[in-house]
Every structure is written in C-alpha cells, then in structure tokens.
Amino acid sequence: MMPQRITIVGGGTAGWMAANLLAHHWREQPIDITLVESPDIGIIGVGEGSTPSLKRFFEDLGISESQWMSRCKATYKVNIQFSGWSPNSGVHSYSHPFISQLDTFSERPFQVNCYTRRLGLDVQTDPAKFLFNGWLAKHNLQPNTPEHFPFNIEYGYHFDSGLLGQFLCEHSQTLGVKHLQRKIEHINQHPDGSIASLQCDNGEMIDGDMFVDCTGFQSLLLQKTLNVPFNSFKDNLFNDAAVVFPTHTDDNQPVETKATALSNGWAWRIPLTHRTGNGYVFSRDFITPDQAEHEFRQHLGLLDSDIEARHLQMNVGQVSQHWYKNCIGLGLSQGFIEPLEATALHLVQTSVERFIDEYEAGHFSNKRQDNYNKIMTDTFERVRDYIVAHYKLNTRDDSEYWIANRNNEHISRPLLELLDVWFRRGDLTQHLREHGSESHFNATSWHCLLSGYGAYPPLALNQPGTGDLYIDNDLESFFRRCLLNFGTSLNG
Ligand SMILES: Cc1cc2nc3c(=O)[nH]c(=O)nc-3n(C[C@H](O)[C@H](O)[C@H](O)COP(=O)(O)OP(=O)(O)OC[C@H]3O[C@@H](n4cnc5c(N)ncnc54)[C@H](O)[C@@H]3O)c2cc1C
C-alpha cells in the first residue's frame, strides 16, 4: 500500500519543510517526492519568527546551526516581549519566555506565587523573573547551552523566510527530492474525486499517489479543487491584514521578538542579522490599510521615508478537514491563526509529524484520516484560544477595536472554563491536565499570559509580608549564578 509518489505543490516555507521531513523520514523507502512551485506566483515572504520546535526540526534533519543560521541571516529568539497590551492593570510590558529544562526549579514557585497573588497578597509574579530565558533576554545573552552546563536551554530563531526556503530547497535535493518550477493550471481528479494529476502551464502532467497542498492562502488543491470548507476564526480573531516594512538592523540586536500593541492591532519587531523585520497586524473592520500604514510609519519614525510598505491580507481560521481523500494541506493552505506567538511553522512541523505517524499506522491508507483531522483541528483550536486570550484580556481603552475585543463573547468553551478557573482562584495546572488541553501552550505559558496581563484582584489590605517563594527560594541569586555561564548576543 505504500505510496510511490508524493507530490507537494508549493515552495514556501511549508512546502520545503514538508519535503525535507517526508524525504528524511522515508529515506530508506522507495518513495519519490516531487515539489512543484511557481516562481511567478512566489511565496508570501513573511513569517520570520519561530518557536523552539524549529530547533528540533533542524536537529532531526541533522543540520547544525553553523550550516544554516548565517545563510538565513538568523538570530536567536528566547522570548517574546509584549508591550502595551494591558496598561490599565498597571503592567506596561511583560515577557513570555520559552520554557527551559532549568525552569523545573522555578515553574512551581511561579505558579504558587500566581495563586498567592490571586488571593490578594503582594508577591513576585513577573514571568521574566521566574523563567531563565527571561533573564537571558534582559541581559541579551546567547542561549546556546555551554558544554559544562547541565541543563538544556530552549530557544527559537528569527530568520529570513526566503533564504530559509532556498536553504531547505538545497538540502532536500541531497535527500532526493525532485524540484520542478511550473505553474499548475488545472487539477485532474479520479471519478471518486481524489486527485489524479496536476496539469502544468507548459502542458506537462505531474502524477502522484498522495498530494500535499502548500499553495498558501489560495489552497489550490484542498479548498479550491476538493471543496473542503474553511472555518473562519474571524468572530474571535478580528485581524485580517498586515503592513510590513524592513528597517536597518538594531545596533544591539535583542534575542527576543517584540510585540507592541498599537491603536487597532499590534506590531512585531524581529531582529535579523541584515535587517529588522517590522509588521503591523490589524483589522480592516476598524482601520483602513492607509491609516494603518500611516500610524505604523509614525510608530517606526518613518513618516518622511520613501521606504515602500507591503500590504498583506490574512485568512484566519482552519480547513474543516486537514486531510481529505489523497490530499493534506500544510501551512497557510490548511489555516492560519495570525502571527502573534509565531506558531505557524510549529503547526506545519506538527502536522507533518502527525501525518507520518497516522499514515504509517494506517498502512499508508486513509484509515487514520479521521484521527489525524481530529488531532489537527483540536491543535489549531487550542492554539487559537491562547491567542484569543491576548485580546480578550486587554485593558486598553484607546479604540473601539480594543474595547470590542475585550467585550467579545464569541470565545470557546474551553477558554471560558480556563478563565473561570483562574478568576475563581482554582488550580489552573490541574485544570489543564484534567482537560488534556495543554497542547502547545502549557500551564506555565498560561500563567505567563494571565500574570503578564496583571489579571489579578486588588491587593488585600493586610499583607503578612511573607510567603513569597521568589524570595524564600532565593531564585534571583540562582538565576544570576546561572547567567554567568552564558555569553553576549551573537550580534550584540
Ligand atoms: C503577516 C504575517 C506574519 C507571519 N508571521 C509569522 C511568524 O512570525 N512565524 C511563523 O511561523 N509564521 C508566520 N506567518 C505564517 C508564515 O508566513 C507561513 O506559515 C509560512 O510562510 C508558510 O507559507 P506557505 O508555504 O504556506 O505559503 P507561501 O509562502 O504563500 O507559498 C505558497 C507556494 O505555493 C506556490 N503556488 C501557489 N499556487 C501555485 C500554482 N498554481 N502552481 C504552482 N505553485 C503554486 C507558490 O509559488 C509558493 O511557492 C505569518 C504570516 C503572515 C500573513
């Protein structure tokens, strides 16, 4: 039953990640993998921040950082710093650090302190103080684990997505992937509706047993040809557009992404070695693209600059079936949950890994398709809930956009229940464990978000002045000693 030919359509980051993972996994099998892309259509060319799963992606492929990072102008990312999302709670900015092995010592004290603070007691609850990557970000230190240091440090990357695609394209050739530059003009189907072949603009026909749709937002195979419906998340994620500008590199490049709330959305700032990526993600229901561009130029100090902006539109949501007949969708063609927290490539990687597991478990048939679809739908929904919480919990009053986000009642039951547990002073960690909803964002990440937003009751009148585990466990001194093992930022 093993497929002889897997055909991937699309050479954006999703297509090339898929080509490498599939070809690497089945390197001993007689499976031909072909990737076809149209240079005339091109790639979306944004998507420059990752989660730590990209580190595992390269490790699994046996590619070292020295091989790819300088080629892709990459920098390290240990943290996301959120500014201006919850000013009325008194928190100007907070960090969501990636969680490392070292944090085993401090995660529990952090969660207990958050609980104590929910009881009204004045204890330390700043996530960046409890998680080692918060310290690395503050001191702008490289996250590579020194050889003698007994704990692994988790981190992600910032990179140029075009260069990453080129790098992965080259690497896939070493794994035997066939690369064709053609535009697909028509898709031929078998009588049962499954995909038979792809017709190229030069008249050539490309066959396949299994097809992977990586054609970006247009979702040529899965949505356009197989008519798989798209379930929009628009009722709880309002953003549907972005305006993007590159600027010069920062003198002292941070090892973190900055996510700053603006009047009708938020702006990212991503440091690469050759430039800084900037984008303003907004909702066209509340601000026009021209207004957003003007505001963003002002924010970046580029009002008098003739630097050209790129405007993009986004479909936020997911397909109702990520695998249908003999086709799976990956990347933007399967769905997108907006760029906050930079989860898109993580979802591509998870999808490919899951697909491999389910496809093999079903002996290369569609037997496990329903299981795969359920897992991917849940994964997308739980990631979405984490992102939605950033909007729901905001305390800004400067625009209808932020007020509408805060008042929005279209939020999922799992998210409602989770917030209920938090505000009723329940055990959030236990709740997430019991509901199996840790997904990509675990209990500590949820504590970072809720604590970072200052989602706490007012302080009690009487303060015992004891019971602060940050002080009792002497965590500051512990982290300061750990910091001595790490060097300054590559580009600092
Ligand atoms: C504003 C914004 C910010 C983002 N930020 C992040 C981030 O920080 N981190 C993150 O992980 N993700 C981010 N993303 C998502 C990220 O950009 C994508 O997940 C990633 O680039 C993968 O895109 P893709 O490969 O699915 O699609 P694309 O890059 O659009 O590639 C589509 C491919 O399909 C090909 N194609 C299309 N039609 C045809 C045809 N008819 N014939 C042949 N080939 C065809 C094209 O040539 C192209 O090669 C962001 C997205 C947006 C919109």
Side-chain angles (χ1 to χ4, degrees), residues 7-199:
T7 304
I8 300 167
V9 188
T13 321
W16 288 117
M17 282 178 80
N20 278 278
L21 287 173
L22 296 174
H24 179 75
H25 183 79
W26 285 315
R27 60 195 177 281
E28 308 290 336
Q29 310 293 345
I31 300 180
D32 286 337
I33 298 181
T34 300
L35 186 146
V36 51
E37 59 155 339
S38 163
D40 295 342
I41 295 175
I43 63 168
I44 191 159
V46 280
E48 303 185 324
S50 86
T51 67
S53 55
L54 197 67
K55 183 165 170 265
R56 189 168 49 75
F57 169 82
F58 283 109
E59 284 167 0
D60 288 352
L61 293 174
I63 300 171
S64 67
E65 290 183 344
S66 60
Q67 284 173 281
W68 78 272
M69 280 186 73
S70 62
R71 289 262 325 263
C72 302
K73 311 291 181 198
T75 64
Y76 292 112
K77 170 181 175 186
V78 299
N79 184 45
I80 306 178
Q81 190 192 73
F82 291 86
S83 296
W85 293 74
S86 187
N88 288 335
S89 70
V91 183
H92 172 66
S93 89
Y94 79 96
S95 292
H96 180 196
F98 294 133
I99 298 152
S100 290
Q101 207 181 10
L102 184 60
D103 300 323
T104 321
F105 294 103
S106 54
E107 275 181 280
R108 194 65 199 151
F110 174 45
Q111 294 177 12
V112 172
N113 262 23
C114 290
Y115 179 74
T116 309
R117 177 62 191 83
R118 280 187 279 152
L119 297 176
L121 304 189
D122 190 8
V123 292
Q124 179 60 261
T125 55
D126 177 355
K129 292 231 183 309
F130 284 87
L131 299 168
F132 186 58
N133 278 3
W135 288 85
L136 287 176
K138 183 168 174 214
H139 294 272
N140 204 16
L141 297 174
Q142 281 184 67
N144 322 73
T145 314
E147 259 177 39
H148 58 274
F149 196 71
F151 303 100
N152 277 327
I153 302 302
E154 285 292 343
Y155 54 85
Y157 307 95
H158 307 113
F159 48 85
D160 181 308
S161 62
L163 296 176
L164 180 64
Q166 281 171 28
F167 179 87
L168 292 177
C169 166
E170 279 170 35
H171 190 263
S172 76
Q173 324 282 297
T174 67
L175 296 167
V177 173
K178 193 168 159 196
H179 179 202
L180 300 175
Q181 296 195 320
R182 316 266 190 281
K183 185 174 176 205
I184 306 302
E185 294 215 311
H186 182 73
I187 299 187
N188 300 311
Q189 293 171 268
H190 291 296
D192 69 355
S194 59
I195 297 176
S197 60
L198 313 171
Q199 196 171 319

